[in-house]
Amino acid sequence: MKRRNWPLWLLTMLVLLGGLAAVLQLRMRIREEAVSGERAPQESAAPMSSSAAEQPEERALANKQEATPEPKSEATPEPKSEATPEPTPEPTPEPTPEPTPEPTPEPTPEPTPEPTPEPTPEPTPEPTPEPEPEAELVPVQVINRGVTLEMLTDGSYHTEKEIYRGDTVTIRAEAEICALYFQWDRPPLPWTLVCGEQEQEQGQFGFVHEYVVLPEPCTEVELHLSRGNDYGITEVYAFSAGARPDWVQDWQPPWEEPEILVVATHSDDEFIFFGGLIPKYVDEGRRLQMLYIVRHTSFRRHEMLNSLWTAGVTHYPVMTESSDIYKPTVREVREYYGVNYVTNFLIEQLRRFRPQVVVGQAVDGDSGHPVHIFGVECLRSAVDRCPDPEADPASAEMYGVYEIPKVYLHLYGEPEDMVTLDYDPPLASFGGATAWEVAELAFQQCVTQYEAAKYEVYGEGSVHDTRKYGLYQSLVGPDLEKNDLFENLPTASAPGAPGG
């Protein structure tokens, strides 16, 4: 058996085993690092490089070789060891970049609140004054020529006393008198009231119902009558301090420029044939003026004023000087009253008042009454001639000529062309009563006509339907709405304070 060189073989084997152990150890470390890299990819530390891993093994092998002495032997060529392949280094993973932090927004400053304005204090309403208590009646004695005239304090206008012109009438009371209310039998001439040291002129308007406020409270008042004519008195009322009672009439002079002029023959016709027209337009605040063709006497005059006052009229009516005399035919009426006199009187009043609207009775007089027919004839003639300066030259010179914008006659023309007024809505100035209801109450003041039971306020369905009026003349075109006498005029009807 050929003898081998055991020291050299042993050394060679040790070197080979050491290298193999180093390679195996390196692969196991690489595998562990790969596994740990998969588990924790987020770690930022880079894995150890292969060269760095090899350094401890090489250093240990070198130390070992230095420590082992090489045996002296024949020079034997060293076998070429197989080159150990260096492991391909794993690619170093890119470090995961830290997320860029969002910039912290600067805090939005809180808006400075607007200062809350101080609330404007509501104006303190003026306290509503307490209504003045109503005046009370004061018992009085009326004395003329040393005689107490008891018929003048009996509460009836059917009793009257003639007082001679130039006489003095004395009114005495135990309590103080602050106001007087006279009901004259006929329009009085001017007279003088004496209260204490003060004098006051009265009667300048000729009002049959006259309310007088004394210049100072008195217990004795004197009436100094004019020497121009005798006086007739039917009633005297005296009042304490306080508000005038509603039934006491405080008449105002006729309107200077009324908006509507209502022409009736007698003092009951304005309600029998015109129904609620007067209270309707008074409630709307229209300036309404009444005119009568005849002049009533005695109790009919009191009924006229009482009925108008009930319907809200406060401006004194005007009338001709023709007394109310019945004639059976129109021809006789024309002869008695005088066509020229009545027509010229109406022309003068139309020019004086210059109304926007005139209302008259039906062409047939509404009932065939001869005086009614005569009155409408005169009114139509006056309307036609009013613009003519040759008609009644005296009034043309005084007032100028005038053409009325709208003239209506009751039931005039074709039914489809007529205006139909609504008398059903409640009227504020009459406490919610309708125009129908006010007209009924007003007509009841015409006691002699109402109690005769021959007449009534004619309503819907009657041949004298008081709601319907036709245009006799218009300067402003035809009516289209047909529900207002003031249609097409510059000022339309509007609710307001009573205007009668």
Side-chain angles (χ1 to χ4, degrees):
M1 180 180 219
K2 189 175 181 177
R3 186 181 178 186
R4 296 183 179 181
N5 191 352
W6 287 100
L8 181 60
W9 179 81
L10 181 58
L11 179 60
T12 301
M13 290 301 291
L14 288 173
V15 170
L16 291 174
L17 289 174
L20 180 60
V23 170
L24 292 175
Q25 187 176 8
L26 179 61
R27 286 183 177 177
M28 289 178 65
R29 191 171 294 175
I30 291 172
R31 188 178 297 163
E32 289 175 359
E33 289 177 358
V35 171
S36 62
E38 290 177 1
R39 289 178 182 173
Q42 71 274 16
E43 294 182 5
S44 60
M48 186 181 297
S49 65
S50 58
S51 58
E54 291 175 355
Q55 286 178 2
E57 281 77 7
E58 291 177 354
R59 194 176 292 116
L61 183 58
N63 292 339
K64 192 173 181 178
Q65 290 176 348
E66 289 176 1
T68 307
E70 292 187 9
K72 293 180 180 181
S73 60
E74 296 176 2
T76 305
E78 292 187 6
K80 290 182 181 179
S81 64
E82 296 181 7
T84 305
E86 293 195 10
T88 304
E90 294 285 331
T92 305
E94 294 278 334
T96 304
E98 292 283 337
T100 306
E102 293 280 334
T104 304
E106 294 196 9
T108 305
E110 291 283 332
T112 305
E114 292 285 331
T116 304
E118 291 288 329
T120 304
E122 291 287 332
T124 304
E126 292 289 330
T128 305
E130 291 290 329
E132 186 180 11
E134 187 175 286
E136 297 181 354
L137 282 169
V138 175
V140 294
Q141 286 182 311
V142 182
I143 303 167
N144 174 237
R145 297 191 176 191
V147 178
T148 299
L149 308 177
E150 295 182 357
M151 75 285 293
L152 301 187
T153 57
D154 62 0
S156 172
Y157 52 68
H158 290 284
T159 57
E160 57 96 15
K161 174 63 178 176
E162 286 291 312
I163 308 293
Y164 295 112
R165 67 191 70 185
D167 267 7
T168 296
V169 176
T170 303
I171 301 173
R172 291 178 183 157
E174 294 184 1
E176 287 187 335
I177 303 170
C178 295
L180 292 166
Y181 180 43
F182 298 95
Q183 292 182 345
W184 303 93
D185 180 65
R186 53 189 177 271
L189 294 175
W191 55 276
T192 304
L193 180 143
V194 179
C195 178
E197 300 296 324
Q198 301 192 57
E199 294 186 358
Q200 187 169 288
E201 297 301 317
Q202 297 294 148
Q204 58 269 41
F205 298 113
F207 295 161
V208 171
H209 292 180
E210 186 174 10
Y211 179 67
V212 178
V213 177
L214 303 188
E216 63 182 16
C218 297
T219 56
E220 183 171 305
V221 178
E222 289 184 351
L223 281 61
H224 295 179
L225 305 182
S226 167
R227 295 184 178 276
N229 206 344
D230 294 344
Y231 290 73
I233 305 177
T234 62
E235 201 66 26
V236 176
Y237 299 92
F239 296 94
S240 66
R244 173 181 56 81
D246 290 340
W247 61 271
V248 175
Q249 301 163 20
D250 185 15
W251 288 98
Q252 303 302 308
W255 287 105
E256 292 185 5
E257 292 186 4
E259 295 173 278
I260 178 171
L261 179 67
V262 179
V263 181
T265 306
H266 301 98
S267 68
D268 51 359
D269 296 332
E270 71 273 46
F271 299 110
I272 295 174
F273 300 114
F274 297 154
L277 183 148
I278 292 174
K280 169 183 168 61
Y281 284 110
V282 166
D283 183 72
E284 289 185 4
R286 295 296 184 183
R287 299 186 300 275
L288 185 145
Q289 181 64 48
M290 278 303 308
L291 183 151
Y292 296 97
I293 300 295
V294 304
R295 177 179 292 272
H296 290 296
T297 58
S298 190
F299 58 87
R300 286 293 298 274
R301 186 179 283 132
H302 298 300
E303 292 178 354
M304 172 189 70
L305 295 176
N306 291 343
S307 63
L308 289 177
W309 190 263
T310 301
V313 178
T314 58
H315 288 256
Y316 208 76
V318 295
M319 59 203 77
T320 70
E321 294 296 330
S322 301
S323 298
D324 181 20
I325 301 294
Y326 179 78
K327 297 294 181 180
T329 66
V330 176
R331 181 183 61 81
E332 292 176 280
V333 172
R334 292 188 188 118
E335 292 175 355
Y336 173 77
Y337 286 96
V339 174
N340 288 338
Y341 166 70
V342 175
T343 301
N344 287 342
F345 174 82
L346 291 171
I347 291 174
E348 179 183 359
Q349 302 310 311
L350 293 174
R351 290 170 173 170
R352 167 193 177 187
F353 290 126
R354 311 178 88 79
Q356 298 179 51
V357 176
V358 172
V359 181
Q361 291 181 240
V363 172
D364 66 353
D366 282 311
S367 62
H369 194 300
V371 183
H372 292 185
I373 296 173
F374 167 74
V376 178
E377 287 178 353
C378 293
L379 176 60
R380 294 172 69 183
S381 177
V383 168
D384 297 340
R385 299 172 61 194
C386 192
D388 182 4
E390 298 299 320
D392 192 29
S395 66
E397 183 178 353
M398 180 177 294
Y399 302 111
V401 298
Y402 182 63
E403 193 169 11
I404 302 105
K406 298 186 82 173
V407 179
Y408 286 94
L409 299 180
H410 184 218
L411 300 175
Y412 183 79
E414 298 300 323
E416 62 270 18
D417 296 328
M418 295 179 189
V419 167
T420 302
L421 300 180
D422 187 0
Y423 298 152
D424 291 326
L427 307 180
S429 56
F430 294 96
T434 68
W436 284 119
E437 294 167 340
V438 176
E440 288 280 0
L441 291 173
F443 178 53
Q444 290 174 21
Q445 301 302 314
C446 299
V447 179
T448 55
Q449 307 304 303
Y450 178 75
E451 292 184 349
K454 294 192 299 183
Y455 306 106
E456 60 180 301
V457 177
Y458 294 111
E460 184 177 357
S462 166
V463 294
H464 304 299
D465 190 341
T466 58
R467 303 172 304 145
K468 296 184 178 295
Y469 302 85
L471 268 175
Y472 174 75
Q473 172 177 294
S474 176
L475 307 182
V476 293
D479 292 325
L480 300 178
E481 298 295 329
K482 297 183 175 66
N483 58 9
D484 184 11
L485 303 184
F486 286 86
E487 183 177 350
N488 298 328
L489 290 172
T491 54
S493 294

